[in-house]
Amino acid sequence: METQAEQDNILRGGQFLIKETACEDIFTPEDFSEEQKMMRDTVKDFIDREVWPNKEKFEKKDYAFTEEIMRKAGELGLLSIAVPEELGGMGMGFVSTMLVCDYISGATGSLATAFGAHTGIGTMPILLYGTEEQKKKYVPRLASGEWFGSYCLTEPGAGSDANSGKTKAVLSEDGKHYLISGQKMWISNAGFCNLMIVFARIEDDKYITGFIVEYDPDNGITLGEEEHKLGIRASSTRQVFFNDTKVPVENVLSERGDGFKIAMNALNIGRIKLAAACLDAQRRVITNSVKYANERVQFKTPIAQFGAIKSKLAEMAATMYAGESASYRAAKNIEDRIAIRQSQGNTHQEAELKGVEEYAIECSILKVAVSEDIQHCTDEGIQIFGGMGFSEDTPMEAAWRDARISRIYEGTNEINRMLTVGMLVKKAMKGHVDLLTPAKNVADELMGIPSFDTPDYSQLFSEEKEMIGKLKKVFLMVAGSAVQKYGPALEEHQQLLMAAADILIEIYMAESVILRTEKLAKRDGEDKADTQIAMARLYLYNAVDIITQKGKEGIASFAEGDEQRMMLMGLKRFTKYTNLPNVVALREKIADKVIAENEYCF
Amino acid sequence: METQAEQDNILRGGQFLIKETACEDIFTPEDFSEEQKMMRDTVKDFIDREVWPNKEKFEKKDYAFTEEIMRKAGELGLLSIAVPEELGGMGMGFVSTMLVCDYISGATGSLATAFGAHTGIGTMPILLYGTEEQKKKYVPRLASGEWFGSYCLTEPGAGSDANSGKTKAVLSEDGKHYLISGQKMWISNAGFCNLMIVFARIEDDKYITGFIVEYDPDNGITLGEEEHKLGIRASSTRQVFFNDTKVPVENVLSERGDGFKIAMNALNIGRIKLAAACLDAQRRVITNSVKYANERVQFKTPIAQFGAIKSKLAEMAATMYAGESASYRAAKNIEDRIAIRQSQGNTHQEAELKGVEEYAIECSILKVAVSEDIQHCTDEGIQIFGGMGFSEDTPMEAAWRDARISRIYEGTNEINRMLTVGMLVKKAMKGHVDLLTPAKNVADELMGIPSFDTPDYSQLFSEEKEMIGKLKKVFLMVAGSAVQKYGPALEEHQQLLMAAADILIEIYMAESVILRTEKLAKRDGEDKADTQIAMARLYLYNAVDIITQKGKEGIASFAEGDEQRMMLMGLKRFTKYTNLPNVVALREKIADKVIAENEYCF
Ligand SMILES: Cc1cc2nc3c(=O)[nH]c(=O)nc-3n(C[C@H](O)[C@H](O)[C@H](O)COP(=O)(O)OP(=O)(O)OC[C@H]3O[C@@H](n4cnc5c(N)ncnc54)[C@H](O)[C@@H]3O)c2cc1C
Ligand SMILES: Cc1cc2nc3c(=O)[nH]c(=O)nc-3n(C[C@H](O)[C@H](O)[C@H](O)COP(=O)(O)OP(=O)(O)OC[C@H]3O[C@@H](n4cnc5c(N)ncnc54)[C@H](O)[C@@H]3O)c2cc1C
């Protein structure tokens, strides 16, 4: 068992903003265990063999094929990673769960969505909130792929405002079952699921309630036609109509009125897994792009040799690398937090619930960052392919279309942006994360005279780590003043919240990529890690630009006169490089490596 | 006839960078003549009646329907706007031509492409380079829509490197015709065209030659299957195979070896028209987005009232407005330049050719800027629609897919970016645009002490116009030093070129939007133009951010030590606002107007 001191090294959710993290204290993809690497290779192999060669089927809306692949994934045990052994699962930790989400999603968003809807929001609510009976009855079937699950929350009038649904659950006269009636929309896996997690309102309850509903067409459940969608074409998405559907009272999830909480917690886990589910798709886009760029000759030159193309490859690789770094860092935090909770006597269920909830901020950050990175990455992939990128004969356009959904579901990126800052402010109010003291320190620092000492930057990343520290000050300065100014009304200032969220997101991503690389360089030496060092520097450089922009926008929106001048000066100080990196050279370096290896090779 | 002095007020191509333009000297959409407005309404009406209600047909790849609509457009005279009256056309000026491209493209990229390929690259080469006989024989049929044209330049191995095609033209023994053999790819309108502009190489000529080829399946011409594409689904795109296709020698366009020149000049016109062809699509996306946002209620609030949505609507409107401003400004410059050339004794043909060539830089700028704006606009459109944006039942996803092609064809945006700067540097070398003197002046200014006078900003846009002047200095400083440093080898430094191109693009767009709005405010008063003023300010603000970023990147890539420090200081000075705009408030203002009008209303 860990000592309290060891436990304290694990940051609490949101604390990354106010504490410095040592690179030894984060988990990185370089730290995968042998078991994890084997798992990764198994999944990759499955995708290479069964899925990638059949990509066309997914684009042709072959829903049955999606189901078939899901069934095969079940046979391989891939649907049961997160399920405890006593419920027929593999009982692996959160990092391994993420790893499987990551690699199983490489070939098509259709499978990523089917997998995510089933193993995530379709199964987790029972795992996290189910009674022993419910778990025993349903989880083993879901874990094996004998049954598939879906999650029915959204309604025509209730999307982002998930608690506003009109679906009703009425207790029968004998008190033995509920009768559910209502219309659900956009339900992934609806076309082939056996079990539905359904949210409905009992009487005039403030909050909705969750139910486990077995799919039975003779029990008042009707499915709409398949929706025709921009992307993830072979992911089944239908409306579901409930008309006095009988559900035994034993199938209520947790307590009456707990539905909204269940829904939100299921989404927290869903969000970080969604980030993972964008990663391997990006790796493959980068690898296919560099292969094409190495082969395609124009002006007697492989286009990979043109600076315009190198620039794209480098940016694609650097954001990919950052996305990986942050995703697995947060995943391990969650895993550790669960272990701590368990060691403190929590049940596995409680521990998992609280462990993920703790990092809800990081989950939202990752959802937004990685879903936007993959959009950009696939967009550049198309551009590198030129006219061929516009053709269904190359894998770029489907990747671009598939990526688009990730910015919409599991909470839109707008909702998630606002959540990141909103949750942080709430944590501060509750005293879980002390933002006020550091915010005050920054304010004091602004009034003081800056130090003109020439700092010692001889150590790897010393300037970069100092910069991360300064960027945190930018957030504390902007968000701190905003909270002071607007108090709880801050939530009405959405443009400001969005700007603050972008600052927060970039800090987390940039810090993660620097720490991962520092750890790597300490292990392998700086020479061997030189491309990774370049990627970390490039990512940070871009982050500084975004933070400068968003900081300025935020400041100008609420501060005037002297206050504005002082804060702008602070912004300048906190975003200033002593040694401005030559990003053109960094990109060249990164691209040259990717080009030489002919793949994303980190 | 204009006097020399009047003519001199019309900027030469690229001169916008070194001369100040008075708002009275630019043409704006507010200056459309009654005839032009009638034309616009005719086209809009045609689209509303015949095309928009049938959008689904385009998405279902109904190529025949595209042809039918093109035929109807021909009946309305819309294919003949740019064609002189003596050749059966309407003989209207360049602005009117742009106007028709703009509004005919509002509903679907499939029609935009078919229209552009036919009236632009399919017809213009004959109009611009054809002999009297060629013109008389072919142009009237193309202008009426009796025949349709296509343009066969690209080959599997020759895309961006258009002159590298392998298609051969061999003179027959009797010297009466050429036999053309080769494979062309990505040919728009191939499926229903009667005439093809084909580029092929005679013997081992350095440059390809253009030919007018009548489509005849019995003359060795075979078509590939329709390509399956990401977007513009009902635009016919096929491979075309020529196998000893007999073409009479009279059908050579211009001289042997002129093909590359013809191809490039056709593309120049094509590029600015492509910018126009993105405009009405954007207007409609904005209007549909605001209508949806006003109707859709979440959290008991129309989502249009959320700052996150307002921010999007405002940015969409401001870039739209800027795109219009710059497109019509350049269009009128071209029209005027043609008139001047004609008044100087050029034939209409020569005048048009030279008129467009003169503004090749602006044409590339517009192509890049507007094609990227529409991508961003449609992307936000999807996001505003939430889950519904991902559905084929709403008009957002097709708009997003259709927009994607505009960044690829008519020269990829990478090629066009490099062209903007490359052409400017060439013009400077030839003495057509004096960049050296102003670049030297900026360098001198950097050595001097900046003025600390408080400037008088009481006039509308006085600070903004000063900012435009300073942004020009950024370009001169960065590009000037880069040219000095690298000389002709600059073209190998593509990342730097791309950064310089972005600076140039933003300057042109921002200046155009400021000047248009100044002209409007002078006419209608500042009160009535208040939203437009906000849009101009917002656009400029964003431009300053981009220029700051790209300038910094460029400088760090080639300057070190003191030189770098001096240039960074210059950059800071040249991008500094005295009064930092509150962009959050600007966006609120713009959004509120669009929301109140329930449409893009400028
Ligand atoms: C392919 C697909 C699969 C899906 N699968 C499932 C599933 O399996 N189960 C399920 O229950 N649901 C599913 N969904 C639904 C998905 O979760 C919702 O689409 C999403 O939550 C957004 O809700 P909405 O579509 O109603 O958009 P809206 O909530 O109407 O949002 C529209 C726009 O308004 C913005 N907005 C909304 N509220 C605010 C606010 N307060 N402040 C600022 N901006 C705001 C949004 O960010 C968005 O830009 C799926 C959707 C799709 C498209
Ligand atoms: C739907 C569609 C319709 C089309 N219609 C027509 C038509 O009607 N007639 C016709 O002739 N053609 C047509 N085209 C072809 C189009 O013009 C080409 O696709 C385009 O010019 C790009 O060429 P490419 O596809 O060979 O890409 P490539 O030239 O191979 O470019 C691939 C990538 O390399 C980059 N690149 C290439 N050269 C350089 C360089 N020197 N420096 C830096 N980067 C470079 C490009 O920017 C791009 O990112 C069409 C294409 C499509 C997809």
Side-chain angles (χ1 to χ4, degrees):
Chain A
M1 221 188 97
E2 288 183 283
T3 64
Q4 193 58 41
E6 280 168 333
Q7 292 174 9
D8 285 349
N9 273 339
I10 302 170
L11 287 182
R12 300 205 53 172
Q15 274 188 343
F16 72 88
L17 186 67
I18 46 163
K19 291 214 170 158
E20 219 176 299
T21 303
C23 71
E24 292 76 17
D25 289 334
I26 75 157
F27 179 84
T28 76
E30 286 74 40
D31 301 320
F32 286 142
S33 66
E34 285 312 310
E35 189 192 54
Q36 284 166 338
K37 284 185 201 154
M38 264 174 56
M39 181 56 85
R40 178 191 64 195
D41 294 341
T42 306
V43 179
K44 250 169 94 168
D45 187 57
F46 172 62
I47 296 297
D48 284 336
R49 213 179 49 239
E50 305 273 354
V51 183
W52 188 271
N54 291 307
K55 271 170 73 79
E56 212 183 327
K57 290 191 185 173
F58 294 96
E59 298 320 314
K60 294 223 161 105
K61 307 192 180 177
D62 188 342
Y63 305 101
F65 188 68
T66 305
E67 188 182 343
E68 187 185 321
I69 292 292
M70 284 291 289
R71 200 79 65 193
K72 286 191 182 163
E75 285 160 18
L76 282 173
L78 304 179
L79 306 178
S80 74
I81 312 292
V83 173
E85 283 169 283
E86 62 273 23
L87 293 170
M90 302 180 69
M92 294 176 79
F94 199 75
V95 171
S96 301
T97 308
M98 286 281 284
L99 199 93
V100 174
C101 280
D102 174 346
Y103 285 92
I104 206 155
S105 307
T108 164
S110 295
L111 179 59
T113 299
F115 183 86
H118 170 68
T119 60
I121 51 185
T123 302
M124 291 308 288
I126 309 182
L127 261 183
L128 295 180
Y129 290 96
T131 61
E132 285 311 307
E133 293 66 41
Q134 289 170 344
K135 286 195 283 186
K136 276 199 195 113
K137 181 165 178 195
Y138 294 115
V139 173
R141 295 188 212 177
L142 292 167
S144 68
E146 181 195 341
W147 274 27
F148 289 116
S150 70
Y151 177 85
C152 304
L153 175 64
T154 305
E155 302 186 7
S160 298
D161 187 6
N163 192 46
S164 71
K166 294 204 172 69
T167 299
K168 287 273 164 206
V170 179
L171 192 63
S172 64
E173 289 197 357
D174 60 6
K176 292 211 171 127
H177 48 252
Y178 283 97
L179 292 170
I180 295 186
S181 297
Q183 176 182 3
K184 294 289 175 177
M185 199 178 177
W186 293 120
I187 306 310
S188 301
N189 292 357
F192 63 92
C193 73
N194 312 83
L195 179 151
M196 299 162 150
I197 308 291
V198 180
F199 297 90
R201 194 177 313 274
I202 298 172
E203 295 176 342
D204 286 327
D205 286 2
K206 180 161 180 211
Y207 291 112
I208 50 182
T209 299
F211 298 87
I212 305 172
V213 179
E214 296 183 20
Y215 174 63
D216 175 1
D218 296 330
N219 184 16
I221 308 181
T222 338
L223 302 180
E225 290 296 305
E226 285 291 347
E227 301 286 346
H228 293 288
K229 308 186 299 294
L230 168 58
I232 55 167
R233 286 197 192 145
S235 157
S236 171
T237 327
R238 299 185 175 205
Q239 297 204 40
V240 181
F241 302 88
F242 297 96
N243 188 3
D244 282 342
T245 301
K246 262 174 132 174
V247 183
V249 288
E250 308 88 73
N251 278 22
V252 168
L253 260 177
S254 187
E255 304 288 315
R256 173 174 172 174
D258 272 359
F260 189 56
K261 194 176 75 185
I262 297 173
M264 291 304 110
N265 272 313
L267 288 177
N268 281 340
I269 309 198
R271 281 165 190 160
I272 185 168
K273 287 189 190 165
L274 177 56
C278 294
L279 294 176
D280 200 50
Q282 273 182 82
R283 282 185 207 100
R284 287 177 188 252
V285 165
I286 298 172
T287 291
N288 281 312
S289 297
V290 67
K291 283 195 198 310
Y292 186 81
N294 273 331
E295 273 166 26
R296 174 72 175 169
V297 172
Q298 287 288 281
F299 304 97
K300 302 200 172 79
T301 314
I303 60 169
Q305 292 308 320
F306 292 123
I309 301 293
K310 285 190 181 183
S311 168
K312 293 181 200 300
L313 291 171
E315 295 284 354
M316 291 157 88
T319 45
M320 170 73 226
Y321 179 70
E324 273 176 352
S325 311
S327 296
Y328 286 102
R329 173 191 184 189
K332 187 59 160 50
N333 284 152
I334 292 175
E335 185 168 304
D336 289 344
R337 178 67 47 190
I338 293 171
I340 292 173
R341 286 258 173 193
Q342 280 191 291
S343 74
Q344 288 169 343
N346 275 191
T347 64
H348 179 271
Q349 206 169 19
E350 287 166 329
E352 179 135 354
L353 207 51
K354 292 292 172 192
V356 177
E357 208 181 355
E358 177 71 36
Y359 296 98
I361 295 173
E362 286 79 358
C363 292
S364 282
I365 286 177
L366 282 165
K367 193 275 185 183
V368 173
V370 181
S371 67
E372 294 180 1
D373 289 343
I374 191 175
Q375 192 75 68
H376 191 250
C377 179
T378 53
D379 187 68
E380 292 289 31
I382 291 181
Q383 201 64 18
I384 290 173
F385 273 70
M388 285 311 296
F390 202 68
S391 163
E392 292 182 7
D393 291 343
T394 68
M396 292 296 128
E397 63 91 35
W400 190 65
R401 287 186 289 100
D402 284 3
R404 191 65 187 80
I405 189 58
S406 301
R407 293 158 56 203
I408 298 171
Y409 64 14
E410 306 271 347
T412 66
N413 282 13
E414 292 73 37
I415 296 289
N416 273 292
R417 277 197 162 82
M418 288 182 298
L419 278 175
T420 55
V421 181
M423 292 187 291
L424 192 63
V425 171
K426 255 189 218 137
K427 283 202 172 204
M429 306 259 180
K430 283 193 194 160
H432 290 181
V433 174
D434 176 17
L435 290 183
L436 289 183
T437 318
K440 218 188 138 298
N441 291 344
V442 175
D444 291 346
E445 188 179 340
L446 281 183
M447 309 295 277
I449 295 160
S451 144
F452 288 106
D453 296 352
T454 325
D456 172 12
Y457 290 142
S458 54
Q459 288 278 314
L460 175 68
F461 288 149
S462 35
E463 179 163 9
E464 286 78 4
K465 282 172 22 179
E466 184 188 85
M467 180 64 88
I468 297 280
K470 293 193 295 182
L471 297 178
K472 292 178 183 179
K473 291 182 184 173
V474 172
F475 182 87
L476 291 166
M477 174 178 78
V478 174
S481 316
V483 170
Q484 252 188 352
K485 188 122 198 163
Y486 295 120
L490 177 58
E491 71 175 34
E492 287 154 33
H493 296 265
Q494 285 197 350
Q495 291 198 60
L496 179 54
L497 280 178
M498 306 290 277
D502 282 330
I503 298 174
L504 193 64
I505 290 168
E506 290 305 325
I507 290 170
Y508 189 70
M509 302 301 290
E511 182 180 74
S512 302
V513 73
I514 296 283
L515 291 175
R516 171 184 179 183
T517 310
E518 190 188 6
K519 190 173 185 183
L520 178 72
K522 282 192 179 165
R523 196 190 69 183
D524 293 353
E526 290 182 29
D527 278 0
K528 273 202 173 160
D530 61 342
T531 316
Q532 286 90 337
I533 291 171
M535 290 196 289
R537 290 196 165 126
L538 177 60
Y539 192 93
L540 177 63
Y541 180 91
N542 291 330
V544 171
D545 264 350
I546 294 170
I547 291 172
T548 307
Q549 247 178 58
K550 301 291 171 178
K552 199 170 53 161
E553 176 177 324
I555 292 166
S557 81
F558 66 78
E560 288 184 339
D562 281 345
E563 190 194 358
Q564 185 187 91
R565 255 188 301 281
M566 199 183 63
M567 290 180 74
L568 288 175
M569 214 127 74
L571 180 66
K572 212 167 77 184
R573 209 199 286 172
F574 297 146
T575 54
K576 193 175 160 52
Y577 276 103
T578 302
N579 303 295
L580 190 65
N582 178 348
V583 279
V584 167
L586 290 177
R587 292 196 201 109
E588 285 268 344
K589 182 175 187 65
I590 300 162
D592 286 345
K593 174 73 175 176
V594 175
I595 289 166
E597 299 292 330
N598 208 23
E599 65 176 359
Y600 177 79
C601 51
F602 308 102
Chain B
M1 222 188 100
E2 289 182 284
T3 64
Q4 194 57 42
E6 280 167 330
Q7 293 174 10
D8 285 348
N9 273 341
I10 304 169
L11 288 181
R12 299 204 54 170
Q15 273 188 344
F16 72 89
L17 186 68
I18 47 164
K19 291 216 169 155
E20 219 176 300
T21 302
C23 70
E24 292 76 17
D25 289 335
I26 74 158
F27 179 84
T28 76
E30 286 72 40
D31 302 320
F32 287 142
S33 66
E34 286 310 311
E35 189 191 55
Q36 283 165 338
K37 284 183 201 158
M38 265 173 56
M39 181 57 86
R40 177 191 64 194
D41 293 341
T42 305
V43 179
K44 251 169 94 170
D45 187 58
F46 173 63
I47 297 298
D48 284 336
R49 215 179 46 240
E50 306 272 354
V51 183
W52 188 270
N54 291 306
K55 272 170 72 79
E56 213 183 326
K57 291 192 185 172
F58 293 98
E59 298 320 315
K60 294 222 160 107
K61 307 193 180 177
D62 188 342
Y63 305 101
F65 188 68
T66 305
E67 188 182 342
E68 188 186 319
I69 291 291
M70 284 292 288
R71 200 79 64 192
K72 285 191 182 163
E75 283 160 19
L76 281 174
L78 303 179
L79 306 178
S80 74
I81 312 289
V83 172
E85 284 170 283
E86 63 271 22
L87 292 170
M90 301 179 70
M92 292 175 82
F94 199 75
V95 171
S96 301
T97 307
M98 287 280 283
L99 199 91
V100 174
C101 281
D102 174 345
Y103 285 91
I104 208 156
S105 307
T108 165
S110 295
L111 179 60
T113 299
F115 182 86
H118 170 68
T119 61
I121 51 186
T123 302
M124 290 310 287
I126 309 182
L127 260 183
L128 294 180
Y129 290 96
T131 61
E132 285 310 308
E133 292 67 41
Q134 288 170 343
K135 286 194 283 185
K136 276 199 196 113
K137 183 166 179 192
Y138 295 113
V139 173
R141 296 187 212 179
L142 293 168
S144 68
E146 182 195 339
W147 274 26
F148 289 117
S150 71
Y151 177 86
C152 304
L153 175 63
T154 305
E155 302 185 6
S160 298
D161 187 5
N163 191 48
S164 70
K166 293 205 170 74
T167 300
K168 286 274 165 206
V170 179
L171 193 61
S172 63
E173 291 201 354
D174 61 7
K176 292 212 172 125
H177 48 254
Y178 283 98
L179 292 170
I180 295 186
S181 297
Q183 176 182 3
K184 295 290 176 177
M185 199 176 177
W186 293 119
I187 307 309
S188 301
N189 291 357
F192 64 92
C193 73
N194 313 83
L195 180 151
M196 300 162 149
I197 308 290
V198 180
F199 297 89
R201 194 177 313 274
I202 299 172
E203 295 176 343
D204 285 327
D205 285 1
K206 179 160 179 212
Y207 291 110
I208 51 183
T209 299
F211 299 86
I212 305 171
V213 179
E214 296 182 20
Y215 174 63
D216 174 0
D218 297 331
N219 184 17
I221 308 182
T222 338
L223 302 180
E225 291 296 304
E226 285 291 347
E227 302 286 347
H228 293 288
K229 308 187 300 293
L230 168 59
I232 56 168
R233 286 195 193 147
S235 156
S236 169
T237 326
R238 299 185 173 206
Q239 297 204 38
V240 182
F241 301 88
F242 297 97
N243 188 2
D244 283 342
T245 300
K246 258 175 133 170
V247 182
V249 288
E250 307 88 74
N251 278 23
V252 169
L253 260 177
S254 185
E255 304 287 316
R256 172 174 172 172
D258 272 359
F260 189 56
K261 195 174 75 185
I262 297 172
M264 291 304 110
N265 272 312
L267 287 178
N268 281 340
I269 308 199
R271 281 164 192 160
I272 184 168
K273 287 189 189 166
L274 177 56
C278 294
L279 294 176
D280 201 48
Q282 272 182 83
R283 281 186 208 100
R284 288 177 188 253
V285 165
I286 299 171
T287 291
N288 281 311
S289 298
V290 67
K291 281 194 199 315
Y292 186 81
N294 272 330
E295 274 165 27
R296 174 72 175 168
V297 172
Q298 287 289 279
F299 304 97
K300 302 202 173 77
T301 314
I303 59 168
Q305 292 308 319
F306 293 124
I309 301 292
K310 285 190 181 182
S311 169
K312 293 182 200 297
L313 291 171
E315 294 285 353
M316 290 157 90
T319 46
M320 170 73 226
Y321 179 71
E324 273 177 352
S325 310
S327 296
Y328 286 102
R329 173 191 184 188
K332 187 59 160 52
N333 285 151
I334 292 175
E335 186 168 304
D336 288 345
R337 179 66 48 189
I338 293 170
I340 291 172
R341 285 260 176 193
Q342 279 190 292
S343 74
Q344 288 169 344
N346 276 191
T347 64
H348 179 270
Q349 204 170 22
E350 286 166 331
E352 180 135 353
L353 208 52
K354 292 292 171 192
V356 178
E357 208 182 355
E358 176 71 35
Y359 296 98
I361 294 172
E362 286 79 358
C363 292
S364 282
I365 287 177
L366 282 165
K367 194 274 185 186
V368 173
V370 181
S371 67
E372 295 180 2
D373 288 343
I374 191 176
Q375 192 75 68
H376 190 250
C377 180
T378 53
D379 188 68
E380 291 289 32
I382 290 180
Q383 200 65 15
I384 290 172
F385 274 69
M388 286 309 297
F390 203 68
S391 163
E392 291 182 6
D393 291 342
T394 68
M396 292 296 128
E397 63 91 34
W400 189 65
R401 288 187 287 101
D402 284 2
R404 191 64 186 83
I405 189 59
S406 300
R407 292 157 57 201
I408 298 171
Y409 65 15
E410 305 272 347
T412 65
N413 282 14
E414 291 73 36
I415 296 289
N416 273 293
R417 275 196 162 81
M418 288 183 296
L419 277 175
T420 55
V421 180
M423 290 187 292
L424 192 65
V425 171
K426 254 189 217 140
K427 281 203 171 201
M429 307 258 181
K430 282 192 192 160
H432 290 183
V433 174
D434 176 17
L435 291 184
L436 290 184
T437 318
K440 217 187 137 297
N441 291 345
V442 175
D444 292 347
E445 188 180 338
L446 282 183
M447 309 295 277
I449 296 160
S451 146
F452 288 104
D453 295 352
T454 325
D456 173 12
Y457 289 142
S458 55
Q459 288 278 314
L460 175 69
F461 288 149
S462 32
E463 179 162 10
E464 286 80 3
K465 282 170 25 179
E466 184 189 84
M467 180 64 89
I468 296 281
K470 292 193 295 183
L471 297 178
K472 292 178 182 178
K473 290 181 185 171
V474 173
F475 182 87
L476 290 166
M477 174 178 79
V478 174
S481 315
V483 170
Q484 252 188 351
K485 187 125 199 159
Y486 295 120
L490 177 59
E491 70 176 33
E492 287 153 35
H493 296 265
Q494 285 196 351
Q495 291 198 60
L496 179 54
L497 280 178
M498 306 290 275
D502 282 331
I503 298 174
L504 193 64
I505 290 168
E506 291 304 325
I507 290 170
Y508 189 69
M509 302 302 288
E511 182 179 75
S512 302
V513 73
I514 296 282
L515 290 175
R516 172 184 178 185
T517 310
E518 190 188 6
K519 192 173 184 185
L520 178 71
K522 282 193 179 164
R523 197 191 67 181
D524 292 354
E526 290 182 30
D527 278 359
K528 275 204 172 159
D530 62 341
T531 316
Q532 286 90 339
I533 291 171
M535 289 196 290
R537 290 198 167 125
L538 177 60
Y539 192 94
L540 177 63
Y541 180 93
N542 291 331
V544 171
D545 265 351
I546 295 170
I547 291 171
T548 307
Q549 246 178 60
K550 300 292 170 176
K552 198 170 54 163
E553 174 178 325
I555 291 166
S557 81
F558 66 78
E560 288 182 338
D562 281 345
E563 190 193 0
Q564 185 186 92
R565 255 188 301 282
M566 199 183 63
M567 290 180 75
L568 288 175
M569 212 129 73
L571 181 65
K572 211 168 75 186
R573 205 199 290 173
F574 297 146
T575 54
K576 191 175 161 53
Y577 277 102
T578 302
N579 304 294
L580 189 64
N582 179 347
V583 279
V584 167
L586 290 176
R587 291 196 202 107
E588 286 268 342
K589 183 177 185 64
I590 300 163
D592 286 345
K593 174 73 174 175
V594 175
I595 289 165
E597 300 291 330
N598 208 22
E599 65 175 359
Y600 177 79
C601 51
F602 307 103

